[in-house]
Amino acid sequence: VSIKIKLGRKKVLSTRSKTSNLLLKERHLRKRQEKMTVKWKNKYFYLKNKVKNNEPPTPKKAVEEVIKRGDTREIKKKLLIGEVLTKQIELNKNTCTTLQQKEVLSSCVSGGLIKKYKLMNAMKNLASTYNQRKFLTNDKKINYNKRKRKSLTVLLKCQVQSFLCSDPNSIVTPGKNDTLTKNSITKQKRLLTDTLYNLYRKFKNENNVKVSYTTFTRLKPFWVVTPKLSQRDTCLCVKHSNFNFLIRTLRQYLVININSLLNLSEFICCDSISKSCMYRMCDL
């Protein structure tokens, strides 16, 4: 191969590489220009919509505008307003006595803007983080009907207490030392005659009150307790307790549908009160 041909090939290769490099540069420039056009286009539409809606400036932009203007009087006034507001809220917080007043105060100094500008830690002295998170959205509303609920629970508590302290449902212990003390209130111990669940069902049937089992157990008086085998001075003997355990296990294995000794006696006998039926001396 002659020298001229070799030189010609080199020139062709160099021109090709130059043109490819130029093409790559042009592509990069075009992509950059496209990005810039999209950016400025979006900014234009944003500003256009902002002018249409007449939206007020954000707190950050308002502060930046005040700093740009450099008006010391305006800056001093803004700072004074902020300090006065924080001091006044602190004074109001100290005067708050009820939970409702504290919740109202917390709702005033918490919200989405405070979280957005990362001022939740700065507001810790005015409202706890729990209350700030609680009133972060406007959906959370303060409940002003707590007094009604309290009155309802007080009435229900009185009903449950009178029901469980009645003689058919519990028995007073005869011992002098059979007392229970809670919050410096001493009461004579009472022993339940039936399981708490059965008494709950009985209470619902007699009173027609909508109450859950957990609420019923919570409203139970502290001096009304279930009898235990360890307490030998109670009216619960070993035979009866063992028989109750047998009934429970039989029910667990789905042999019977009865859960107490009283229900079993009512199921077997025609009348649990009469002596002849209980001794199998009746006609049936």
Side-chain angles (χ1 to χ4, degrees), residues 83-112:
E83 286 293 323
V84 168
L85 280 171
T86 49
K87 288 287 180 185
Q88 188 62 51
I89 292 163
E90 281 179 3
L91 289 168
N92 292 340
K93 186 188 174 184
N94 294 327
T95 55
C96 288
T97 53
T98 60
L99 184 67
Q100 189 177 330
Q101 289 174 352
K102 288 177 183 178
E103 282 184 347
V104 170
L105 188 74
S106 300
S107 65
C108 292
V109 293
S110 57

Side-chain angles (χ1 to χ4, degrees), residues 45-62:
F45 282 116
Y46 170 73
L47 291 168
K48 195 177 180 182
N49 291 325
K50 196 174 180 183
V51 170
K52 279 183 182 178
N53 297 328
N54 292 322
E55 290 180 357
T58 58
K60 193 176 180 180
K61 285 186 179 178

Side-chain angles (χ1 to χ4, degrees), residues 58-84:
T58 58
K60 193 176 180 180
K61 285 186 179 178
V63 169
E64 285 175 357
E65 284 175 5
V66 170
I67 291 164
K68 277 181 184 178
R69 285 197 292 270
D71 193 355
T72 53
R73 284 185 180 179
E74 196 175 355
I75 293 164
K76 196 184 282 184
K77 191 179 178 182
K78 295 275 184 186
L79 288 168
L80 187 65
I81 288 164
E83 286 293 323
V84 168

Side-chain angles (χ1 to χ4, degrees), residues 70-255:
D71 193 355
T72 53
R73 284 185 180 179
E74 196 175 355
I75 293 164
K76 196 184 282 184
K77 191 179 178 182
K78 295 275 184 186
L79 288 168
L80 187 65
I81 288 164
E83 286 293 323
V84 168
L85 280 171
T86 49
K87 288 287 180 185
Q88 188 62 51
I89 292 163
E90 281 179 3
L91 289 168
N92 292 340
K93 186 188 174 184
N94 294 327
T95 55
C96 288
T97 53
T98 60
L99 184 67
Q100 189 177 330
Q101 289 174 352
K102 288 177 183 178
E103 282 184 347
V104 170
L105 188 74
S106 300
S107 65
C108 292
V109 293
S110 57
L113 278 172
I114 288 164
K115 190 186 177 184
K116 184 182 176 182
Y117 290 101
K118 297 175 182 179
L119 296 170
M120 287 178 80
N121 286 325
M123 293 289 175
K124 269 186 180 179
N125 296 325
L126 304 174
S128 62
T129 50
Y130 171 76
N131 284 330
Q132 284 183 22
R133 286 172 185 172
K134 186 180 177 182
F135 299 106
L136 196 61
T137 56
N138 294 323
D139 299 334
K140 297 281 182 182
K141 292 180 181 178
I142 301 161
N143 190 12
Y144 294 104
N145 298 322
K146 286 185 178 178
R147 287 184 182 178
K148 289 182 182 178
R149 287 185 181 180
K150 279 185 181 179
S151 62
L152 285 169
T153 50
V154 166
L155 287 168
L156 190 64
K157 190 176 181 180
C158 291
Q159 284 181 347
V160 172
Q161 189 172 331
S162 62
F163 173 77
L164 290 173
C165 290
S166 59
D167 290 332
N169 301 319
S170 63
I171 301 164
V172 183
T173 51
K176 188 180 178 181
N177 295 322
D178 292 336
T179 56
L180 288 171
T181 307
K182 187 179 179 182
N183 297 327
S184 66
I185 298 167
T186 306
K187 290 279 185 179
Q188 190 72 22
K189 197 189 290 183
R190 294 186 73 96
L191 302 172
L192 293 170
T193 55
D194 201 353
T195 58
L196 201 60
Y197 185 72
N198 289 336
L199 290 170
Y200 161 69
R201 289 172 68 183
K202 187 180 175 183
F203 174 76
K204 279 186 78 177
N205 292 328
E206 287 181 4
N207 295 297
N208 293 321
V209 179
K210 285 186 178 180
V211 60
S212 63
Y213 178 65
T214 51
T215 309
F216 183 78
T217 52
R218 188 166 52 83
L219 296 173
K220 181 180 76 67
F222 69 90
W223 62 91
V224 179
V225 292
T226 53
K228 294 179 183 178
L229 280 167
S230 59
Q231 297 170 347
R232 299 308 300 167
D233 56 345
T234 63
C235 58
L236 187 73
C237 67
V238 176
K239 288 180 181 178
H240 284 85
S241 60
N242 286 336
F243 202 72
N244 275 323
F245 292 145
L246 283 168
I247 290 164
R248 284 180 192 173
T249 48
L250 285 168
R251 197 191 174 195
Q252 281 178 2
Y253 287 105
L254 303 173
V255 178

